[in-house]
Structure formats: structure tokens, C-alpha cells
Amino acid sequence: NAGVTQTPKFRVLKTGQSMTLLCAQDMNHEYMYWYRQDPGMGLRLIHYSVGEGTTAKGEVPDGYNVSRLKKQNFLLGLESAAPSQTSVYFCASSYMGSGETQYFGPGTRLLVL
Amino acid sequence: RKEVEQDPGPFNVPEGATVAFNCTYSNSASQSFFWYRQDCRKEPKLLMSVYSSGNEDGRFTAQLNRASQYISLLIRDSKLSDSATYLCVVNIWGGSQGNLIFGKGTKLSVKP
């Protein structure tokens, strides 16, 4: 039982490049989330999903897209990376939504030059 | 006013000390409250949920004051392994489903 895993662990991009971050969970959770964490800031929600085939915007969605084609996977895409997207990205999942414990992946460190 | 506010610290305490963290939240509709722990360069992990009546888990005690919109975490007999950042987390029912609002965290450093 791996919990929540994220791929890759670390990536360096040049401005304008694209990439996809993969999150996978093996706990059969309905809800999945993408956060970013920046120095001096709390975790901020980018996008989330309440079930397979559904996605919704969080607090800071601009510049990101997501897809949830399979229940266990939640993908975060950057179509044209910008230096402002340099951050640590955490994926999380929960059995249901409000009030439920969220389980986090180990994070992806992204540097955009 | 920020939605969830915490003293950033750092709190530097000796082993065995008792330390308390405070957190205030702005939305009176908030219904669920948590403390998460985040070690350096690691992911956040749930430490404990916070219930209206207050709750205790070993050396850790969490309290909630809805009238003052205030949450606290008390750590007794601090251990070196308690060194981490403690995140106050609030959920608002009726808002974006599953949306947790995270404080910026309070850093604790326990010294020998």
C-alpha cells in the first residue's frame, strides 16, 4: 500500500516549456487535490476533483490544467511554464471531502528558469 | 484579515518543555479543524483533528473556542522529534468541496 505517490520528484524547466505532474493513489479515495507551497505562504489549492471525470478550480488555478480520467490518477499540466510557477507541488487525496483527512504525496519540486 | 493566522515562530524550546501554539480563523462558518505536522522538505501529515470539546492524544492536546474563533495545540514534555512546522487547518462546509484552508505554519525547534 503505497498511499499517494507523485512523479517526478524534481524537475527543471525552461520558461515556455510544458510538463505534466502525475499523482497516483491506491486508497480508493474519491477526492484528489493539487496544492502548491511557496516560502512564506501556506499551501494553496490549485485544482481538485470530487470523482473520476470531474475537476474544479481552487484558489490559484491560472496557468494549470488537470485531468482525472481514472479514479486513482490526477494529472496536473503546465502548458507554458513561467518562473512564477517555481514551487513545491503536493498532491493529496481523501475518502470524501469536507472534514476528511487528506493524505499527501511526497511532493514535486519544480524550478522554472 | 487572513483566513487562518498563526504565529510563524520559530519557537525554540529545550527538551521536556511545554509549548503552545495558537491559531485564529476568520470564517465563522468553519466546521472542521485540524493540526497537521510538516517536517522539513516533507509532505504535511495529519497530527490530530480538533473537536469542540477538546481532545488529547498522548502529549498533544488540542482545543477549540468557536466564540473566539481560536484553536490551540499544546505539546507537553517536548521531544527532539517534535521539531517540525505545525499547520493549523480549517475546512468550511458549503464552500469549495474538500477545500482546506492552511495556515502558514508555526515552526518548532526542540533543542537538547
Side-chain angles (χ1 to χ4, degrees), chain A residues 21-55:
Chain A
L21 284 69
L22 172 63
C23 175
Q25 53 94 3
D26 61 2
M27 297 176 281
N28 201 34
H29 285 169
E30 290 293 333
Y31 285 57
M32 296 187 74
Y33 316 83
W34 276 107
Y35 293 91
R36 61 177 289 173
Q37 187 174 39
D38 302 293
M41 306 286 289
L43 282 156
R44 292 183 292 169
L45 183 66
I46 303 171
H47 286 280
Y48 65 98
S49 168
V50 302
E52 182 179 316
T54 73
T55 63

Side-chain angles (χ1 to χ4, degrees), chain A residues 31 37 40 101-102 105 109, chain B residues 36 38 41 43 97-98 104:
Chain A
Y31 285 57
Q37 187 174 39
T101 300
Q102 291 190 10
R109 297 182 180 280
Chain B
Y36 276 69
Q38 186 172 23
R41 299 178 72 83
E43 71 273 21
Q97 293 187 50
K104 295 180 182 180

Side-chain angles (χ1 to χ4, degrees), chain B residues 48-100:
Chain B
M48 59 196 302
S49 300
V50 186
Y51 302 120
S52 296
S53 55
N55 47 299
E56 188 174 306
D57 182 2
R59 299 181 292 108
F60 299 85
T61 301
Q63 301 233 317
L64 167 65
N65 183 322
R66 286 186 184 273
S68 301
Q69 295 179 202
Y70 170 96
I71 307 161
S72 66
L73 177 68
L74 183 76
I75 304 176
R76 291 182 299 278
D77 188 23
S78 299
K79 312 291 185 191
L80 296 176
S81 57
D82 293 334
S83 296
T85 297
Y86 291 83
L87 307 177
C88 177
V89 186
V90 171
N91 175 281
I92 302 172
W93 289 90
S96 299
Q97 293 187 50
N99 193 352
L100 295 182

Side-chain angles (χ1 to χ4, degrees), chain B residues 1-6 23-28 65-71 101:
Chain B
R1 183 181 172 186
K2 293 188 174 66
E3 293 196 71
V4 178
E5 292 199 63
Q6 297 182 248
C23 168
T24 57
Y25 60 95
S26 61
N27 193 321
S28 59
N65 183 322
R66 286 186 184 273
S68 301
Q69 295 179 202
Y70 170 96
I71 307 161
I101 309 298

Side-chain angles (χ1 to χ4, degrees), chain A residues 55-97:
Chain A
T55 63
K57 294 180 180 179
E59 179 187 355
V60 289
D62 294 341
Y64 305 95
N65 56 75
V66 287
S67 64
R68 182 102 181 265
L69 298 179
K70 293 183 180 180
K71 185 177 183 178
Q72 63 267 35
N73 295 337
F74 195 28
L75 278 62
L76 178 71
L78 285 74
E79 289 187 350
S80 180
S84 61
Q85 294 178 305
T86 292
S87 189
V88 180
Y89 292 86
F90 287 104
C91 176
S93 70
S94 63
Y95 178 63
M96 292 301 287

